[in-house]
Each structure stands twice: as C-alpha cells, then as structure tokens.
Amino acid sequence: MSSLWWSLRLRREAASVPLARQLLLSSMASAGADPDVAYDMCLALSEACANAIEHGSTAGDMVGAYRVSAYLEGNRCRIEVADTGPGFPAGYSPARCPNEAESGRGLYLIESLADHVRFRNRPGHGGAVVSFDKVLARRDGHLMTAS
C-alpha cells in the first residue's frame, strides 16, 4: 500500500489558497481519486484555509502563516489546517451555526463534505486545528503506486 504526504506553511493571504487546492487536486489525481470526491475535498480545504487566513494571528510560532498538511494513504485522504489565532471557543460546534449567521458556514460546509471532522485548539501554541478526512472512491480500480 502506497502513501503520499505533504505539508505547506503558507502566508495568511487569499493568494495562498489556490496553491494548496492545486497541490491537493494533483495529489488526488495521482492517487486515482474520483473527481467528485477530489472536488469535495478541495472545496473543504478552501473553506479551512479561508478560516485560517481570517482568524489567524500575527503572533506565535507561525507569524503571519498557517499550515496545511495532507495525507493520502490507502483509500483515505486526511487534511489538517492549523493557524495561530484565538482558537475555538469552549463548546464550539458548527452544527449550532444558525442559518442567518454571518460566519461559521465554512466549518459547517466542511462537516457536510467530509466523512470525519475534528475541530480543536493547538495545545500550548494557541490557534485552531481543523482536521477532516474522506474515503476515496477510486476511478476504474486505480490504485496509487509508488514510483
């Protein structure tokens, strides 16, 4: 079984989102992931990056930056986005986001697109971490191969 892993430290700028999205899309294409699944994960990644850009801070170990990591192993893709902002308030749940809310819809969308989602705060560093994963449907039995 082959695996693919990458991690990026990106500037908290809107221009960083397409880079992360393109790398994920290329990785998933190499893994033979169904294009619809790849699109869902890229959309979820875009939302997580937008939150890191908006809510991250200029202090901490990733000054002006956020981190995106992706793991493709076997039939699963896992994404993690971490920032250095204030983190999530105690008891936060995107399921509680009211329809008329001005913010919080992106995290709700991530929950809708992924199979498993975890929202947590970075212990000891400050900031939020959004992790989500999805089972990969493969095109025509295509399996990721080591090169």
Side-chain angles (χ1 to χ4, degrees):
M1 178 184 324
S2 298
S3 63
L4 174 69
W5 174 87
W6 53 262
S7 184
L8 299 172
R9 181 178 170 165
L10 299 167
R11 288 183 180 204
R12 286 184 40 239
E13 303 173 346
S16 68
V17 179
L19 173 64
R21 195 173 46 232
Q22 185 59 44
L23 185 55
L24 179 61
L25 195 58
S26 297
S27 299
M28 293 187 78
S30 295
D34 179 89
D36 290 337
V37 172
Y39 176 80
D40 286 352
M41 290 300 280
C42 285
L43 179 55
L45 173 62
S46 295
E47 293 296 331
C49 290
N51 283 337
I53 290 166
E54 181 177 347
H55 300 293
S57 73
T58 56
D61 61 333
M62 293 191 302
V63 175
Y66 67 103
R67 182 168 309 281
V68 175
S69 301
Y71 311 87
L72 285 87
E73 187 163 18
N75 68 340
R76 185 163 300 278
C77 175
R78 180 168 188 255
I79 308 294
E80 184 172 286
V81 178
D83 67 42
T84 58
F88 295 105
Y92 176 80
S93 172
R96 295 186 201 149
C97 176
N99 290 338
E100 66 277 357
E102 290 295 318
S103 64
R105 291 183 183 158
L107 296 177
Y108 179 76
L109 182 59
I110 293 168
E111 272 201 324
S112 300
L113 294 168
D115 294 333
H116 300 96
V117 181
R118 182 174 179 209
F119 304 103
R120 62 184 168 88
N121 291 325
R122 293 178 65 211
H125 296 282
V129 179
V130 177
S131 304
F132 52 97
D133 61 71
K134 189 161 186 86
V135 172
L136 298 178
R138 305 276 184 183
R139 292 184 313 242
D140 303 322
H142 184 278
L143 296 175
M144 185 167 47
T145 57
S147 51

